[in-house]
Amino acid sequence: GNSVTQMEGPVTLSEEAFLTINCTYTATGYPSLFWYVQYPGEGLQLLLKATKADDKGSNKGFEATYRKETTSFHLEKGSVQVSDSAVYFCALSQGGKLIFGQGTELSVKP
Amino acid sequence: KAGVTQTPRYLIKTRGQQVTLSCSPISGHRSVSWYQQTPGQGLQFLFEYFSETQRNKGNFPGRFSGRQFSNSRSEMNVSTLELGDSALYLCASSPGTGRDEGYTFGSGTRLTVV
């Protein structure tokens, strides 16, 4: 079946460090791919998306490219801030539902 | 533009009781989905409604049910509550299938079963 695998956390970085959170997926067909972010005590916020191969989603300095050949959608940011501390979820959309990875907790220290 | 509104935010129930959660989607969104979030199982899909019809269903027992009204508002019901039903229940809405637009989530209802 369809599935999403994310790198395990927690990930701890210093402010202004480079961030990569790995995400790979298994799916039939051509799903859309998403990154969501969850701050403590809140729901999920859509961070970025890509709907077809080679699309690059970007938002608030975060980027991810839909790589069909490696079935990956890695999240990157060049310079993280303390305010980026949150849990990040990779997800694919297929058949009217989202399938999520297990989430990666990011902690950014000043 | 108002976001997805879920009520109540917090709920404490006793084993064996039933509970109803409510979700008001973004105006104009016709698709409403429900997800359960727990530390052990992560985020799991419960069901999706579109124009008052259940379009998709996840692998949850029949104690979990839902419905959607003509104004797109949705309710989720859990009967005969078990301790394992304690979770954050998230509602999400989308204009259509969600494939291209993605889904907008509410802040969730935190259900605790004691």
Side-chain angles (χ1 to χ4, degrees):
Chain A
N2 299 340
S3 65
V4 176
T5 303
Q6 290 180 232
M7 65 184 283
E8 293 204 12
V11 173
T12 302
L13 296 174
S14 297
E15 205 165 23
E16 299 184 2
F18 184 85
L19 168 71
T20 299
I21 300 178
N22 290 337
C23 170
T24 57
Y25 67 91
T26 302
T28 55
Y30 304 96
S32 292
L33 300 173
F34 303 88
W35 277 100
Y36 281 87
V37 58
Q38 186 175 36
Y39 297 99
E42 298 185 13
L44 302 174
Q45 295 179 24
L46 178 62
L47 183 58
L48 53 83
K49 62 182 170 76
T51 59
K52 61 183 187 298
D54 299 325
D55 266 2
K56 177 187 280 189
S58 61
N59 186 27
K60 300 180 182 179
F62 291 90
E63 293 183 340
T65 301
Y66 189 162
R67 302 285 188 199
K68 185 169 176 293
E69 63 276 12
T70 54
T71 61
S72 65
F73 193 55
H74 305 323
L75 182 68
E76 296 182 336
K77 187 176 186 184
S79 176
V80 294
Q81 305 300 312
V82 172
S83 57
D84 293 328
S85 297
V87 181
Y88 292 81
F89 292 92
C90 183
L92 67 84
S93 173
Q94 198 161 46
K97 66 180 181 181
L98 289 169
I99 297 171
F100 289 91
Q102 69 270 37
T104 302
E105 182 180 359
L106 170 66
S107 177
V108 180
K109 305 299 185 186
Chain B
K1 191 173 183 181
V4 178
T5 303
Q6 290 188 247
T7 56
R9 286 296 307 273
Y10 302 92
L11 208 47
I12 300 175
K13 290 287 187 178
T14 304
R15 265 185 307 175
Q17 287 187 314
Q18 75 163 15
V19 67
T20 299
L21 312 181
S22 180
C23 172
S24 293
I26 289 174
S27 178
H29 285 196
R30 296 166 67 187
S31 168
V32 175
S33 303
W34 290 88
Y35 292 81
Q36 181 195 65
Q37 185 177 25
T38 59
Q41 299 299 316
L43 283 152
Q44 293 187 289
F45 172 76
L46 281 155
F47 28 66
E48 184 214 9
Y49 287 86
F50 186 89
S51 294
E52 302 180 65
T53 301
Q54 187 180 85
R55 197 160 61 171
N56 288 287
K57 190 175 188 304
N59 296 323
F60 278 81
R63 300 185 297 106
F64 292 81
S65 63
R67 59 179 176 168
Q68 186 181 34
F69 302 95
S70 58
N71 61 359
S72 291
R73 190 177 71 85
S74 177
E75 287 183 348
M76 191 193 99
N77 185 275
V78 188
S79 62
T80 319
L81 284 165
E82 300 176 0
L83 295 179
D85 298 332
S86 295
L88 179 65
Y89 290 89
L90 293 164
C91 169
S93 76
S94 176
T97 65
R99 188 189 183 282
D100 293 333
E101 319 92 339
Y103 295 85
T104 303
F105 282 79
S107 297
T109 294
R110 171 76 61 186
L111 171 65
T112 302
V113 182
V114 298

